[in-house]
Amino acid sequence: MIPMASLEVLMLVGVGSPAALLALLGSASLVNRPLPERWTGRLAAGAMAISCAAFCAALLVYATIRMEAMVLYDAWSTSHPGGIAIEFLLDGMSLGFAALSAAIAGIVSAFSNRYLHREPGYNRYFFLLSMFVTGLLLVALAGNVEVLFAGWEFVGLSSALLVGFFHERPAPVSNALRVFSVYRISDAAMLSAAVLLHHVAGSGSLSLLFGGATFSSAAGPTGTDATMIAVLLVVAVAGKSALLPFSGWLPRAMEGPTPSSAVYYGSLSIHAGCFLLLRAAPLLEQSTPARLLTGGIGVATALYSTLTTRVQSDVKSSLAYAALTQVGIIVVEIALGLYTIAFLHLAGHACFRLLQFLSAPNVLHDLHGLEAAVGERLAPGGGYLEARVPEGVRRQLFLFALERGFVDAVLDRLFVDPFFWLTRQMSRLDRFLCDVVIRRAPSILVEAAEDRDD
Amino acid sequence: MIDARYWLAGVLALPALVAGASLLRVDVERLRRLAVVSAIVMLLASLAVAVAPDLRAVSIRTSILSGARGGEALVRIDALSSALLPFAAGLWLLTVAVTPRAALDRAGLRRTALATLATLASFLTESAVVLLLLWIASVWTFLSALSDPAHRHQRRVVATYLGASTVLFGAGVALLVWPMAQGTRLEIVGMWLIVVAALVRMGIFPFHAWVPEVFDHGRLGPAILFSAPQLGAYVTVVLIVPRASPDVLRVVAILALCTAVYGAALALVQTSARRACGYLFVSQSALVTAGLDCTSVSALAGGLLLWLSAGTAFAGLARCVLVLEARRGRLDLSTHHGGYERMPVLAISFLSMGLACTGFPGTLGFAGQELLVDGAVDVFPVLGFAVVLASALTGLAVLRMYFALFCGRRDALADSGIHLGLARREAWTFALLVMVLVGLGLAPRPVVDSRFTASEEILRLRQARLVTSLESPSAPSSRVRAPGE
């Protein structure tokens, strides 16, 4: 009992710490009394350190007791049946990912404290970072679909607002909106999966999806239901992790500050989808079509991004696509059932890519330093794949990669443009109908209106 | 112990006091201060119902205006109205606190007070005849705010659509209360007339076209004050849900679900901020209507909760647009305006309230949205997912508006010394509103419990009427069927 209770306390401290920072910074901004930069930096560092320490301690406790725990607050929204409960599922994978997330967030927080020194949006940045960390921890520890969805939304909104961080320029803002539009598709798919799970299983407990030690007495989804839920989850993951066909938003997201690009698109946010797929692996195993879809998307994404990363002209976009290549491979590993390898791959890749992103602003400086030490220009490396591809094919692939697979253009042509055309026609029709109704209205009503003008 | 009658009389007297004071030669700003203080007092007094259940003892029943067995309540406070009273008070406070100085006059404050009085009185009654009179009063108050010749087009739209809905409502009420029509097909016709009247008022497809038109042209403030309380939703809950057959409710719910998606999609493509607000209202009120017409406890509770959260959040969002317009003129969403650095509280409030409209986690709308989605999918396994789609599109529309209105450009007047930030009362009002939406979102239990209780009461009343109608020898066989038949 005592270790279980301590596990719950540590979890609450771990999640509550960035949440408290979020509340504090948000309240201060709302009353137009933003904290001084020094205070914000210290509070952020402290909150992330506490969170990291709490989850590391929780991992140690879990390693000792080797027992999963479900923390349930079932009367959070209402005492009536059918309300929303708050559930957390504490096991090795969730605590491990939470500890990794808290550690990476702490590193990025410390880096950002210096990187964004005297930046006008300093407080805003840390507010959004704390929102992201809170959301990601909710995703990691979610025991039911409502908590998962809440975390998912926090991650998405903070990501979009950080893409538009330099909001005095139009390009970051436009790109942020584009990123958010893909996230909304992902959120809609996630919510649909959650609702379907409720509808099918009568419960929103994620133990129905995650299998293992079952904390719910309800039967998990099977057959067509499992396929539908799994496919919706795959769509949600594809949107959040920039898998095909949603990869177009990834280079746009590089508009944000480098530390946010590191934590979102290098290490954590882009892997959140993979983590969710890992958790939902038992559900995937019940649905061969969903598994094939997952594997196919993973392969296509890996091939696509390994081509695209080679032609990028800026280091952050190149790193983003390189990260996406690995994410595609992780997704393939999950589809093949290699869960342990996938988790280790995820954790190692997140740390490695974080380092690369944080070093990105210095890459030219580091290169010049290296060349100065060596005493000559260094020959460009790589090119192994290019050397094996015929010239004609290489040109076609170069064009394909340069245009980023025409993904955005295809999606715009197929979905965005028709949507805007249709809705604009509907808007015109509304105006026309209103005019017709007014002109044809019984005269008594029109006269009653016009009498008041006299 | 407070005598409930005196308490209620005091609450209703506050807007009457402001309306009366507006007839005196009082400075406009002083009158506004009186209105703000009165609204705060009303808000606190109406919240007292939550802590003093004795106040729900108020009930005046009569059978003069209706042929219903046991009469009907002219005045009553139940689980439904106990949350609607502070809602109406909050809307009044929001209106009088943030109305721009240039748009403020004695007549406007008087109309606002009278409109609030009509709304409050509506939320206290379940009599069809009294509701009709108050409906007429609210439409008249709205029309009187558009007396300026410059608002001729808006007046014509309001007079046509809302005039027609008033006529339909009146005819429907007449058939509903006419003793000769009881238990006959005329009563069903009367019910349908009331349904159509409510659909027009709520802006449900195909009767929605007036809403964006009214928001786009003329005075935005009166349009917000008229729309936000969603009197049509109240008529739906009090008159339609207890009486209508499952088929009627089904048709209305389907129309509402389609309208929710339609409104959100069109809000996304508007170039006028006002018109976008109009379509957002169409979408939000459609979601409320969909919840109210799904006869499951959770969907109805979700609809009742969304009524409060979306009504409050939408009113705040639209007021932000009004405040911004007062400083910049008409707002075009096809270009970026910038200016976040000079009005961060307004920007944060706008975004927060917009996200509350979408049911973002951490806001009061989240609980309502979750309940509504679950309930809607239970009743409509495929179409119920329209709520998800509407929410996604609304979020996108809100963020698009936020980026267009506050970002994308460096404020050209940032160093000019010209002060365009919020006045203290505006800043505090918006900040408090956001805190309420977020605070209740993090601790929603009292509000959600009260909506569940109201939902169960409404469905119990529906069940009781069903039993009564089945026992009546003159009941047409298709009037009301038992749930599940």
PDB file of all heavy atoms in Angstrom, chain A residues 135-149:
ATOM      1  N   GLY A 135       0.953  18.714 -21.048  1.00  0.00           N
ATOM      2  CA  GLY A 135       0.200  17.898 -21.991  1.00  0.00           C
ATOM      3  C   GLY A 135       0.882  16.572 -22.285  1.00  0.00           C
ATOM      4  O   GLY A 135       0.247  15.514 -22.324  1.00  0.00           O
ATOM      5  N   LEU A 136       2.193  16.622 -22.487  1.00  0.00           N
ATOM      6  CA  LEU A 136       2.905  15.399 -22.820  1.00  0.00           C
ATOM      7  C   LEU A 136       2.895  14.410 -21.659  1.00  0.00           C
ATOM      8  O   LEU A 136       2.791  13.196 -21.855  1.00  0.00           O
ATOM      9  CB  LEU A 136       4.339  15.733 -23.222  1.00  0.00           C
ATOM     10  CG  LEU A 136       5.052  14.621 -23.979  1.00  0.00           C
ATOM     11  CD1 LEU A 136       4.364  14.349 -25.310  1.00  0.00           C
ATOM     12  CD2 LEU A 136       6.509  14.981 -24.227  1.00  0.00           C
ATOM     13  N   LEU A 137       3.022  14.923 -20.447  1.00  0.00           N
ATOM     14  CA  LEU A 137       2.968  14.038 -19.290  1.00  0.00           C
ATOM     15  C   LEU A 137       1.581  13.408 -19.151  1.00  0.00           C
ATOM     16  O   LEU A 137       1.450  12.243 -18.761  1.00  0.00           O
ATOM     17  CB  LEU A 137       3.332  14.811 -18.022  1.00  0.00           C
ATOM     18  CG  LEU A 137       4.793  15.262 -17.933  1.00  0.00           C
ATOM     19  CD1 LEU A 137       5.019  16.134 -16.701  1.00  0.00           C
ATOM     20  CD2 LEU A 137       5.735  14.070 -17.904  1.00  0.00           C
ATOM     21  N   LEU A 138       0.547  14.184 -19.479  1.00  0.00           N
ATOM     22  CA  LEU A 138      -0.805  13.610 -19.450  1.00  0.00           C
ATOM     23  C   LEU A 138      -0.936  12.500 -20.492  1.00  0.00           C
ATOM     24  O   LEU A 138      -1.551  11.464 -20.243  1.00  0.00           O
ATOM     25  CB  LEU A 138      -1.845  14.703 -19.704  1.00  0.00           C
ATOM     26  CG  LEU A 138      -2.069  15.720 -18.581  1.00  0.00           C
ATOM     27  CD1 LEU A 138      -3.069  16.782 -19.012  1.00  0.00           C
ATOM     28  CD2 LEU A 138      -2.542  15.043 -17.305  1.00  0.00           C
ATOM     29  N   VAL A 139      -0.362  12.729 -21.669  1.00  0.00           N
ATOM     30  CA  VAL A 139      -0.393  11.697 -22.716  1.00  0.00           C
ATOM     31  C   VAL A 139       0.346  10.447 -22.237  1.00  0.00           C
ATOM     32  O   VAL A 139      -0.117   9.318 -22.409  1.00  0.00           O
ATOM     33  CB  VAL A 139       0.233  12.222 -24.021  1.00  0.00           C
ATOM     34  CG1 VAL A 139       0.439  11.098 -25.028  1.00  0.00           C
ATOM     35  CG2 VAL A 139      -0.655  13.288 -24.644  1.00  0.00           C
ATOM     36  N   ALA A 140       1.495  10.656 -21.605  1.00  0.00           N
ATOM     37  CA  ALA A 140       2.311   9.515 -21.168  1.00  0.00           C
ATOM     38  C   ALA A 140       1.606   8.697 -20.094  1.00  0.00           C
ATOM     39  O   ALA A 140       1.669   7.476 -20.081  1.00  0.00           O
ATOM     40  CB  ALA A 140       3.655  10.008 -20.642  1.00  0.00           C
ATOM     41  N   LEU A 141       0.936   9.366 -19.178  1.00  0.00           N
ATOM     42  CA  LEU A 141       0.385   8.695 -18.013  1.00  0.00           C
ATOM     43  C   LEU A 141      -1.107   8.420 -18.117  1.00  0.00           C
ATOM     44  O   LEU A 141      -1.688   7.876 -17.188  1.00  0.00           O
ATOM     45  CB  LEU A 141       0.631   9.550 -16.758  1.00  0.00           C
ATOM     46  CG  LEU A 141       2.093   9.831 -16.441  1.00  0.00           C
ATOM     47  CD1 LEU A 141       2.213  10.940 -15.409  1.00  0.00           C
ATOM     48  CD2 LEU A 141       2.795   8.579 -15.934  1.00  0.00           C
ATOM     49  N   ALA A 142      -1.722   8.792 -19.250  1.00  0.00           N
ATOM     50  CA  ALA A 142      -3.181   8.715 -19.376  1.00  0.00           C
ATOM     51  C   ALA A 142      -3.680   7.295 -19.128  1.00  0.00           C
ATOM     52  O   ALA A 142      -3.132   6.328 -19.664  1.00  0.00           O
ATOM     53  CB  ALA A 142      -3.619   9.188 -20.755  1.00  0.00           C
ATOM     54  N   GLY A 143      -4.732   7.224 -18.312  1.00  0.00           N
ATOM     55  CA  GLY A 143      -5.369   5.930 -18.068  1.00  0.00           C
ATOM     56  C   GLY A 143      -6.733   5.837 -18.724  1.00  0.00           C
ATOM     57  O   GLY A 143      -7.325   4.756 -18.795  1.00  0.00           O
ATOM     58  N   ASN A 144      -7.230   6.967 -19.192  1.00  0.00           N
ATOM     59  CA  ASN A 144      -8.493   6.930 -19.934  1.00  0.00           C
ATOM     60  C   ASN A 144      -8.417   7.926 -21.089  1.00  0.00           C
ATOM     61  O   ASN A 144      -7.506   8.754 -21.159  1.00  0.00           O
ATOM     62  CB  ASN A 144      -9.705   7.194 -19.028  1.00  0.00           C
ATOM     63  CG  ASN A 144      -9.725   8.588 -18.462  1.00  0.00           C
ATOM     64  OD1 ASN A 144      -8.754   9.325 -18.552  1.00  0.00           O
ATOM     65  ND2 ASN A 144     -10.846   8.962 -17.851  1.00  0.00           N
ATOM     66  N   VAL A 145      -9.379   7.841 -21.974  1.00  0.00           N
ATOM     67  CA  VAL A 145      -9.275   8.595 -23.226  1.00  0.00           C
ATOM     68  C   VAL A 145      -9.446  10.096 -23.007  1.00  0.00           C
ATOM     69  O   VAL A 145      -8.923  10.900 -23.765  1.00  0.00           O
ATOM     70  CB  VAL A 145     -10.308   8.097 -24.262  1.00  0.00           C
ATOM     71  CG1 VAL A 145      -9.930   6.717 -24.749  1.00  0.00           C
ATOM     72  CG2 VAL A 145     -11.715   8.118 -23.717  1.00  0.00           C
ATOM     73  N   GLU A 146     -10.180  10.474 -21.943  1.00  0.00           N
ATOM     74  CA  GLU A 146     -10.363  11.900 -21.712  1.00  0.00           C
ATOM     75  C   GLU A 146      -9.044  12.568 -21.325  1.00  0.00           C
ATOM     76  O   GLU A 146      -8.725  13.658 -21.812  1.00  0.00           O
ATOM     77  CB  GLU A 146     -11.404  12.130 -20.601  1.00  0.00           C
ATOM     78  CG  GLU A 146     -12.848  11.893 -21.040  1.00  0.00           C
ATOM     79  CD  GLU A 146     -13.234  10.428 -20.970  1.00  0.00           C
ATOM     80  OE1 GLU A 146     -12.420   9.634 -20.458  1.00  0.00           O
ATOM     81  OE2 GLU A 146     -14.354  10.091 -21.404  1.00  0.00           O
ATOM     82  N   VAL A 147      -8.295  11.924 -20.454  1.00  0.00           N
ATOM     83  CA  VAL A 147      -6.993  12.481 -20.059  1.00  0.00           C
ATOM     84  C   VAL A 147      -6.049  12.488 -21.261  1.00  0.00           C
ATOM     85  O   VAL A 147      -5.314  13.452 -21.486  1.00  0.00           O
ATOM     86  CB  VAL A 147      -6.391  11.667 -18.892  1.00  0.00           C
ATOM     87  CG1 VAL A 147      -4.989  12.156 -18.564  1.00  0.00           C
ATOM     88  CG2 VAL A 147      -7.271  11.784 -17.660  1.00  0.00           C
ATOM     89  N   LEU A 148      -6.081  11.418 -22.040  1.00  0.00           N
ATOM     90  CA  LEU A 148      -5.242  11.348 -23.240  1.00  0.00           C
ATOM     91  C   LEU A 148      -5.581  12.479 -24.198  1.00  0.00           C
ATOM     92  O   LEU A 148      -4.703  13.155 -24.727  1.00  0.00           O
ATOM     93  CB  LEU A 148      -5.447   9.995 -23.917  1.00  0.00           C
ATOM     94  CG  LEU A 148      -4.702   9.765 -25.231  1.00  0.00           C
ATOM     95  CD1 LEU A 148      -3.192   9.738 -24.992  1.00  0.00           C
ATOM     96  CD2 LEU A 148      -5.130   8.454 -25.882  1.00  0.00           C
ATOM     97  N   PHE A 149      -6.872  12.690 -24.398  1.00  0.00           N
ATOM     98  CA  PHE A 149      -7.297  13.735 -25.323  1.00  0.00           C
ATOM     99  C   PHE A 149      -6.894  15.112 -24.806  1.00  0.00           C
ATOM    100  O   PHE A 149      -6.469  15.973 -25.575  1.00  0.00           O
ATOM    101  CB  PHE A 149      -8.810  13.664 -25.537  1.00  0.00           C
ATOM    102  CG  PHE A 149      -9.340  14.704 -26.475  1.00  0.00           C
ATOM    103  CD1 PHE A 149      -9.040  14.670 -27.811  1.00  0.00           C
ATOM    104  CD2 PHE A 149     -10.130  15.742 -25.998  1.00  0.00           C
ATOM    105  CE1 PHE A 149      -9.520  15.639 -28.681  1.00  0.00           C
ATOM    106  CE2 PHE A 149     -10.619  16.709 -26.856  1.00  0.00           C
ATOM    107  CZ  PHE A 149     -10.306  16.663 -28.197  1.00  0.00           C
TER     108      PHE A 149
END
